Amino acid sequence: MALAGVRARAWAAAAKIAQRQRRAEGAERSRSPESGSQRAALYVHWPYCEKRCSYCNFNKYIPRGVEEAAMRSCLVTEAQTLLRLSGVQRVESVFFGGGTPSLASPHTVAAILEAVAQATHLPADCEVTLEANPTSAPGSRLSAFGAAGVNRLSIGLQSLNDTELQLLGRTHSASDALQTLAEARRLFPGRVSVDLMLGLPTQQVGPWLRQLKELLHHCDDHVSLYQLTLERGTTLFTQVQQGALPAPDPDLAAEMYQEGRAVLREAGFRQYEVSNFARNGALSTHNWTYWQCGQYLGIGPGAHGRFVPQEAGSHVREARIQTLEPDIWMKEVMLHGHGTRKRIPLGKLELLEEVLAMGLRTDVGITHQGSSVFLGGPGCAGLTVADPAASTPRGLAAESPLLCARRMTRCSCT
């Protein structure tokens, strides 16, 4: 933990030095819409887990052993390379996802943050989120992550029912989850998010609502509700296909969702996105970047990103996908500085589709006014996504319970 603290101070110091150098060179960046192409969020994918949950088809691996030093070195290298290629001069948020990133060493988190701070401006108050499983995040470990620079946690609680947790293949109990949540809130007050799943086989509305209400006695200011999606290749999909479990009832799931929305609204939560609820202003800065069509860089095996590669003189936004397999990805990073497997230039139609799909997920929707989305210029066909600070929440654009329930497709692994 002491080393993690030293590393955290190192990246903070590096950020200050880099900022002074840029000021001396007359290159200080502003927060204005015109500098949107110089700002980005950063997603870091840790691909390893202790076991595969029965519902999960994410890019994750159950290794016999992890060469963490090699993985850490490659994550640092790829972050440096993509920051240079993108021309990004300010990282607005960092999100460590997976997989189970709370299985990684706090030293790895600190090393990546230090590298980012040396390559670009990483504000001292930058949101740095780590996804955590209750069983992989005891209090001392959470404290070490805090010393490494993490200031927000996203906890994959998923259920407060032990039978449901076993069905999902989780390695923790409801008691473990509440213990971890209490410790997380002590260490990161006001900055802890929890996930709760709905629409499981055999799940009923009443008992699930009691879980949600029980969670409200323990949770912080951010809650995510995710509907189970049966994905091919998962254990749950096979069990349902073979008749060992009943198929989830979409009407019951929709009812859970609508009733859950009402419970959270009454508890003071704002539903700012289809699946996400916050109170006291505790919105996820990182996820908001996705939904507002901002730039984001994805590093690590299978990570996705969307940015303009300015170093190559391009003015076209690209979707990038990194190589899936960790071993192959590491070889590519060592050879080329990054493991980008696929680059897709995004035309005007693709950009418009992104604005529409993302904007309609949020409570501010789509407007002709607000912040510019791409390259600091006008959005596609004159459309831009609204600036949340200047917008009045109007309720979700998609109010149909079935539509909303079916759009909640994230498989929350942690």
Side-chain angles (χ1 to χ4, degrees), residues 13-77:
K16 291 179 181 178
I17 292 170
Q19 186 177 29
R20 285 198 296 269
Q21 288 174 341
R22 282 188 292 273
R23 281 176 175 163
E25 295 165 0
E28 177 69 8
R29 252 59 59 188
S30 74
R31 287 179 172 267
S32 68
E34 286 71 30
S35 61
S37 63
Q38 298 174 338
R39 304 196 308 268
L42 179 70
Y43 174 81
V44 182
H45 189 72
W46 181 261
Y48 303 117
C49 285
E50 290 178 313
K51 64 171 293 189
R52 182 173 292 276
C53 296
S54 64
Y55 59 91
C56 179
N57 74 336
F58 270 27
N59 185 43
K60 59 195 294 186
Y61 302 84
I62 318 300
R64 293 181 179 177
V66 175
E67 296 182 6
E68 184 163 354
M71 173 60 70
R72 175 167 56 240
S73 175
C74 288
L75 288 170
V76 165
T77 297

Side-chain angles (χ1 to χ4, degrees), residues 115-150:
V116 173
Q118 290 173 343
T120 188
H121 179 40
L122 186 66
D125 60 351
C126 172
E127 179 189 275
V128 179
T129 302
L130 178 86
E131 287 186 335
N133 273 345
T135 49
S136 64
S140 60
R141 193 168 182 82
L142 292 180
S143 179
F145 280 120
V150 171

Side-chain angles (χ1 to χ4, degrees), residues 48-365:
Y48 303 117
C49 285
E50 290 178 313
K51 64 171 293 189
R52 182 173 292 276
C53 296
S54 64
Y55 59 91
C56 179
N57 74 336
F58 270 27
N59 185 43
K60 59 195 294 186
Y61 302 84
I62 318 300
R64 293 181 179 177
V66 175
E67 296 182 6
E68 184 163 354
M71 173 60 70
R72 175 167 56 240
S73 175
C74 288
L75 288 170
V76 165
T77 297
E78 186 165 75
Q80 293 168 332
T81 300
L82 294 187
L83 283 168
R84 186 182 71 251
L85 286 173
S86 66
V88 165
Q89 295 165 353
R90 180 187 181 93
V91 170
E92 306 270 70
S93 63
V94 182
F95 194 102
F96 291 88
T100 308
S102 52
L103 291 173
S105 164
H107 304 328
T108 292
V109 169
I112 293 167
L113 293 174
E114 182 179 342
V116 173
Q118 290 173 343
T120 188
H121 179 40
L122 186 66
D125 60 351
C126 172
E127 179 189 275
V128 179
T129 302
L130 178 86
E131 287 186 335
N133 273 345
T135 49
S136 64
S140 60
R141 193 168 182 82
L142 292 180
S143 179
F145 280 120
V150 171
N151 56 30
R152 182 177 181 271
L153 290 178
S154 178
I155 298 178
L157 185 145
Q158 312 309 0
S159 175
L160 288 178
N161 180 290
D162 285 340
T163 301
E164 291 178 358
L165 289 170
Q166 290 172 8
L167 175 70
L168 294 171
R170 306 296 285 172
T171 58
H172 67 270
S173 66
S175 176
D176 294 332
L178 292 179
Q179 265 189 307
T180 300
L181 179 54
E183 187 66 12
R185 291 187 66 192
R186 183 183 71 81
L187 293 167
F188 303 92
R191 308 203 76 175
V192 179
S193 176
V194 292
D195 296 347
L196 188 67
M197 294 185 71
L198 60 90
L200 308 184
T202 75
Q203 199 172 49
Q204 297 297 314
V205 177
W208 181 80
L209 283 174
R210 287 193 287 274
Q211 282 191 53
L212 177 58
K213 291 174 182 177
E214 171 67 15
L215 180 60
L216 289 176
H217 293 298
H218 304 277
C219 73
D220 211 329
D221 293 329
H222 195 281
V223 175
S224 300
L225 301 182
Y226 294 118
Q227 182 188 0
L228 171 69
T229 301
L230 290 175
E231 303 282 1
R232 288 186 180 276
T234 65
T235 301
L236 268 184
F237 180 90
T238 300
Q239 289 174 321
V240 170
Q241 286 290 98
Q242 294 177 348
L245 287 172
D249 186 328
D251 292 331
L252 280 181
E255 187 177 349
M256 289 178 202
Y257 176 66
Q258 289 290 53
E259 294 290 337
R261 292 177 66 199
V263 167
L264 288 167
R265 188 183 306 117
E266 188 175 343
F269 284 82
R270 165 191 168 189
Q271 184 178 14
Y272 69 100
E273 192 268 343
V274 169
S275 301
N276 288 274
F277 303 76
R279 62 186 174 191
N280 300 323
L283 284 71
S284 167
T285 298
H286 185 86
N287 287 339
W288 192 259
T289 296
Y290 296 156
W291 300 319
Q292 296 291 280
C293 299
Q295 289 198 125
Y296 56 96
L297 312 181
I299 71 169
H304 289 226
R306 288 189 176 228
F307 63 89
V308 179
Q310 295 188 63
E311 187 187 62
S314 175
H315 298 286
V316 177
R317 183 175 169 105
E318 291 183 353
R320 289 195 173 214
I321 303 173
Q322 308 309 100
T323 292
L324 292 173
E325 304 86 351
D327 291 344
I328 299 174
W329 170 83
M330 282 193 279
K331 289 177 182 177
E332 292 177 356
V333 172
M334 288 186 281
L335 280 173
H336 309 296
H338 65 87
T340 301
R341 174 61 58 90
K342 194 171 186 180
R343 295 172 55 186
I344 307 169
L346 300 174
K348 290 183 178 180
L349 179 58
E350 288 88 356
L351 296 179
L352 176 57
E353 288 173 346
E354 184 178 346
V355 170
L356 293 174
M358 295 295 103
L360 288 174
R361 294 188 66 91
T362 70
D363 65 348
V364 297

